[in-house]
Each structure stands twice: as structure tokens, then as C-alpha cells.
Amino acid sequence: LQTKMADEDITDNSEMVAQMRRTSMQPEVDAKPMDAVVMLLDGTEFQIPCKNGKYTSAEELHELVVRRLNMPPEFANIFAIWIISGSLNLQLKPHHQPFKVLKQWGDLLLSYSLTGAYEVPVLYFRRAAMVHQGVESKIEDPLVLRLLVAELEFNVQYSLYPCEQDEAARMAAIHLHMAVGSQADKSHVEANEHCRIPLHLEKSIKMKAWTKLVLEQRLLIDIPAIDKHALHKRYLELGRAWPYYGAVFFFGEIEQPTVKHVLRERPDELVRVGVNIDGIHIILDEKNKVRLTLGFDELMYNSYDDPSTGDSCFLVEHAVLDAQGNSVQNHTVVWTKQAQMIDTLVTQFVALANQFPEEVFQRRNAQRGLQAAAAAARPAQGRIDKLQRAAGSTLSRLRTIIRRDGAAGEGGGAAGGGMFTLGRRGRTRPPPAGPPVAAAAIGHDPDAPPMVAEQHL
């Protein structure tokens, strides 16, 4: 789900960047009209005639889709043009040419996906990555709300957003209530595609129990079934309560902790790394459980890329309590080709958070369940500024850390001592030659069943 792919930020594939720059500046000569097929996350498909053909820019295509949807212009910047495949999501900048990027998709997959295998890309019109939730929450336009609800529903049903059974049932109940109101029975639950069990819950609850739970949750809804607007607002409120709502997801691996008396190495564990204005969220991909969620005031971070080995990692440093109750530093290392992209995106969200310090602080406090007045009075701006200073100093510690020897702890780091080798098992790693180079914030949609990216691949 990613942020704008800034050409100047891509430094590890200069030949491809040069080609994209040349094509984006190429004059529109002999342009044959072409049709762009653009999808929405509710499954709707639009065929958009583009008179400039392959030279059509993302900005032009965006305007054409907005007009096709009859969307009020003031809400157009809530959405963006994306190119999506099973393991890579890219939000285009206005000057990018979608047809050209589609043609280069194989090269992008080789550079930024885990396997590099070719996947069919699809054009999508969906929520822009950097939209602030405070701005989004004030929207009253029915069309915009419907599109936001469709995206949230997709992320819940296909398990990009971890949730418990009662949370998922509460959201399914809203769809059921809108469809049939007080007439709802078990047959309506089973027949309504919006009431499907999310993928990660299919093994933990049977259809009979799920149906009962959804019907029970529907009885608790105090909004008339005819008031679709209020129900859409309620649905989005439920989703925004999660710290990872609206997050841009990347895909990576963490090393599992070693077990005594076991000679064979434990395989790395797949994770999703979500980044949004609330912070960084590491989710165990197969279990779909949140392993770590931290606000920007709670962590320090950096990325490291080793061209000689092809290894890249993103380092998250945060405080934990040891067995004696003392606060110690823990290091979580995510191995991913998109380490520098995560780094770049975190920097962008920190800058955005600085524009809304009070809103970010209040939201994080609500999510943590903190009610203490003293905690609520802490100045948010100072907290974010502190992160930026700390993040800038992480590189010097990173250089020191990777020269040390020691046992790797959970997630590739050591909880407590800070003595660990920043290298994958059996590999050696030289210190970085310089500060991390900013890379393109190209997203990676990890949990990609055949219908992710989306149903129409």
C-alpha cells in the first residue's frame, strides 16, 4: 500500500529510473488512444478512454476516474492511482505514466518483491497513503464514504487487518443490518458476501457459531437500517480504532529465537510491517497476530542495505521490561528488500505527524487506554521531535552494533544487552559505508491470496 514513488528516491536501480524519467518527459507524439481498465476495491471495473494513449499521466487518469465517478473535486485528493499485484503495491506520482510503469512491472518485482516472480499488475483507484485520519473522519460525502468502507471491508475480510471474532462480527453485522434490517436471519448471513468470515478466523470459528455471533451483534445496533450514511460512519469508526488503520504494508522476515537442545535452525517467520501516522506495526503473517505496535515516540529506527550480499534490514529499537522489571533496549530486525522504503515512509509520516501533534497524541493515548492526566498533558510536538533526533543518531549505534559479537535475540536482536551481530545466521556483514540512502516508498502487500490485488487478477 504505498506512498508516492519519488524518482529521486530510487537509487539502487539507476538504469530503470533513467528510463522512467525519459519516458515521463517524452513528447506526446503519435499517441494512439488507449483504454485503461481501472478497478475499485468493491469489485467495480471501469474502462477509461485515454486520448494520449501510453503517454497518459497518472494525474490525467486520476482526473478521468474522478469525473467518471462524479466525485466532488474537493475529495479527489483522498484517493490515488495505484498499480497492484499480489506482492507489490505502488501509488503513482502525478507525472508517472501508468502504461509505462505497467510495462516495467517485471523489473520492479525483481527489485522489490521477495520472489521476483512475475505477477499480473492491475490499475486501482483507492485511498491515498498519506491521507490523515482526522481529515478523513470529517468527510460526509456518500460516495467517498462508500469507497472508504469498501477498502476497510477488503482489508478485514482478506486479513490485512488483524481482528478478533467479535470485532469482525460487529462489522459484518453492520452490512447485514443495511441489507435486511430487523428481518435478518441465518440465511441472510450465509448469503451475504459482506458477512463472510475473515480468512484468518476460518479455522477458529464454524459457520454456525459465526452466524449466531453476527446476528447477536446486529441486535446491538441502534441506528435505523435505512440510515446508510450513519451506518457507514459507524463502520469506519470501528476500523479507525485499530492502530494499523490506513497503514502501508511491507513484507519481510524476522528470525525466531533459538531453542536449547535443538540443533536444527528454526525457519524465519514471515511478517507484515505496517506504517501509518500512528507508528510502526509488525504483524505475524501466518498467525495474523500483532507482534509489536509502537508509536513514533516509543522507538528509534534505521535501515541497512548491503549491495554485496543483497541483504537489507530495518531495525526497530525500543524499550522493554526484563525479568526484574527494569527497562532495557530491545532490537527487532526485519529482513526485507524494502528496508530503505520503510525508512523513507517512516520519515514521511513523522513529518505528517508533526503537522497534527495534538491529534496524533490523543489518538495514541486512546489506543493505549491511558487515562492519566499527566500522560495526556505530555507535549506531542516534543515527542515527535525527539524521535527525529534519536533516529538520526541511530546510524552511529548501528555501526557499532554490527561490529560486535553476541547471541541474536528474538527478531534478530538481543533483549537487554544490546550485544548482537546484525547479520543473518551463518553470514557476515561489513559495516555500512555511509548513511542509508533514501529509496522509493514502494509498497508490499504481504497477505496476497489470489483475490488480493484484487479479485480480478
Side-chain angles (χ1 to χ4, degrees), residues 295-339:
F296 292 130
D297 58 307
E298 300 173 298
L299 60 87
M300 291 179 287
Y301 69 96
N302 214 314
S303 60
Y304 173 56
D305 182 31
D306 185 357
S308 63
T309 63
D311 284 341
S312 301
C313 70
F314 182 74
L315 171 68
V316 179
E317 188 174 327
H318 58 99
V320 296
L321 296 179
D322 62 13
Q324 289 72 41
N326 300 317
S327 179
V328 296
Q329 288 301 111
N330 183 68
H331 306 88
T332 298
V333 180
V334 180
W335 298 96
T336 171
K337 287 184 178 182
Q338 299 182 344

Side-chain angles (χ1 to χ4, degrees), residues 358-427:
E358 294 183 4
E359 291 88 340
V360 172
F361 182 63
Q362 290 172 2
R363 179 172 165 79
R364 285 297 297 172
N365 267 355
Q367 291 165 352
R368 296 166 185 156
L370 299 178
Q371 302 298 327
R378 293 182 63 184
Q381 184 67 47
R383 292 153 70 94
I384 300 296
D385 286 346
K386 181 179 179 180
L387 164 74
Q388 293 177 309
R389 291 194 295 272
S393 66
T394 304
L395 179 63
S396 60
R397 294 198 310 281
L398 184 60
R399 285 173 170 159
T400 303
I401 289 170
I402 62 177
R403 293 190 180 100
R404 299 175 181 173
D405 293 322
E410 183 176 356
M419 299 290 289
F420 70 101
T421 301
L422 191 61
R424 306 193 81 162
R425 298 185 181 97
R427 306 184 190 182

